[in-house]
Amino acid sequence: MTDTAGKPVGPGSRAGAFATGDGLIRRRRRRRLRYSALGAAAVVVVAGGAGWAAYAKLSSNITADEAAAAELARYERERPTALVRGALNLLLIGSDTRAGDGNRKYGKDIVGQRSDTTILLHLAADRESATAVSIPRDLMVDIPSCLQEDGRRSDPVFAMFNHAFQVGGSACTIRTVEKLTGIRIDHHMVVDFSGFKEMVDAVDGVEVCLKEPVDDKAAKLRLPAGRVTLDGEQALGYVRARKSLGNGSDTERMGRQQRFLGALVNKVQSTDVLLNPVKLYPLLDAATSALTTDPELASLRGLYQLVRGLRDIPTERVRFLTVPRESYVYDANRDQLVEPEAEKLFDRLRADRSVVVIPEDSQKVPGEDTGSGGQDGPSPAPTFRGYTASEHTCE
């Protein structure tokens, strides 16, 4: 069969294929496949673009502490050597600066910098345990000569630990901690008031238990007794309060901060935040928005690698304690290390050995050997008063 031009139009010809029902079906199928492929490609591009945009935003939120990195590099020869490959020591510094968005309402801006809380976080090389050690801001320590904001260098001084951050920021604080403990600080983070609040709000609050009502105008805190879920603003007041909670001492306040952080770890793990992108993004956005870190951590990739090593640690193996200290011999309002207990603690962290904590109300005397080495073998392990993240504040 031919058309008017004499060309074949049979079933086996191209023209015939288009002229028959089978040809139309194949043509429409190819068209649908082509459109589907274009649609899928568009979805991938949009999703990838959104993912990249989110990644770029989170990474750009973080401020890289280049000045601290340069200062630490200057004094590299005097810094401790890391003894155990894979173990990490991270210094967490809570800044009470009034500068920046959301911080001015907590008081007038102050000259220089001040650290409200400092915690040395040790992550075991096998990532099966973590130990967070609070360093009292009133602890009397040797502070080295540090680079100040005005470009001049301070004189070495024996003073309160908090003075290091005020004089020379994070680099001075890190060098002071390394001199005090002999532990190499691998990374550091500085978080301000706003960042702390937003992280608590990102996980829909954290539950604590209060033995009695709280009414503290200075901390802007008014809470009933019993189980209370604190939002970010309330949580900030709770961890900073002095006069209305406990005995008003910095010691009691550090214990409260440790318990709150344990409750926060519990909340994050129990709600699968780290495994759920929808829940994780707000937390990361909040955490990174007010975060200053060493350059190596100042990206989402760097933070992810750190968090990945944390997410599988059982809460009972996340331990909180305060460095062994007592009233300073020349001033009861200051602290000094208790030896040899403090050196025992630092030695175990340097060697990446387990730290055993006992409750505050335990009858056992801190520093005494447990009689077994726990995960480390037969050698006895000293004990320290503290908490684990598995201990709920209401239990």
Side-chain angles (χ1 to χ4, degrees), residues 187-258:
H187 300 292
H188 71 276
M189 293 182 179
V190 182
V191 185
D192 66 17
F193 293 155
S194 179
F196 176 81
K197 291 189 306 178
E198 290 176 5
M199 281 189 283
V200 174
D201 285 334
V203 296
D204 297 323
V206 175
E207 185 184 68
V208 298
C209 192
L210 303 173
K211 295 181 179 179
E212 55 188 35
V214 177
D215 189 358
D216 189 330
K217 293 181 180 180
K220 305 182 188 303
L221 193 64
R222 189 172 185 177
L223 301 169
R227 290 179 181 268
V228 182
T229 298
L230 305 180
D231 62 22
E233 189 72 37
Q234 293 169 325
L236 180 61
Y238 178 76
V239 299
R240 297 186 67 235
R242 288 177 175 273
K243 300 177 181 179
S244 58
L245 288 169
N247 57 17
S249 69
D250 203 43
T251 296
E252 195 280 335
R253 190 175 69 110
M254 284 187 294
R256 193 183 334 126
Q257 291 171 348
Q258 292 165 6

Side-chain angles (χ1 to χ4, degrees), residues 276-390:
N276 187 331
V278 176
K279 295 180 180 179
L280 181 58
Y281 181 82
L283 178 61
L284 288 176
D285 191 30
T288 56
S289 294
L291 198 64
T292 299
T293 77
D294 57 279
E296 191 174 343
L297 280 187
S299 70
L300 197 59
R301 178 181 177 84
L303 284 179
Y304 173 74
Q305 291 176 338
L306 178 66
V307 172
R308 184 176 59 182
L310 285 169
R311 68 185 183 190
D312 295 327
I313 299 177
T315 53
E316 64 271 15
R317 297 181 70 83
V318 178
R319 306 175 180 99
F320 297 89
L321 67 151
T322 300
V323 63
R325 82 282 181 219
E326 61 188 1
S327 294
Y328 180 46
V329 64
Y330 298 112
D331 187 344
N333 295 317
R334 303 289 180 260
D335 291 327
Q336 65 184 25
L337 294 180
V338 173
E339 298 293 3
E341 287 76 11
E343 184 54 35
K344 288 182 179 180
L345 173 62
F346 301 149
D347 181 64
R348 296 193 76 81
L349 296 178
R350 282 193 295 267
D352 194 33
R353 303 181 68 190
S354 66
V355 172
V356 180
V357 295
I358 57 175
E360 289 292 328
D361 58 358
S362 173
Q363 298 301 311
K364 188 173 181 62
V365 178
E368 288 183 351
D369 291 341
T370 59
S372 66
Q375 68 181 39
D376 298 317
S379 61
T383 58
F384 304 92
R385 294 207 187 279
Y387 319 92
T388 68
S390 62

Side-chain angles (χ1 to χ4, degrees), residues 137-154:
R137 60 185 190 176
D138 292 340
L139 185 69
M140 299 301 293
V141 296
D142 288 311
I143 299 175
S145 171
C146 295
L147 181 64
Q148 302 174 108
E149 287 185 343
D150 61 7
R152 295 182 298 176
R153 293 196 170 271
S154 64

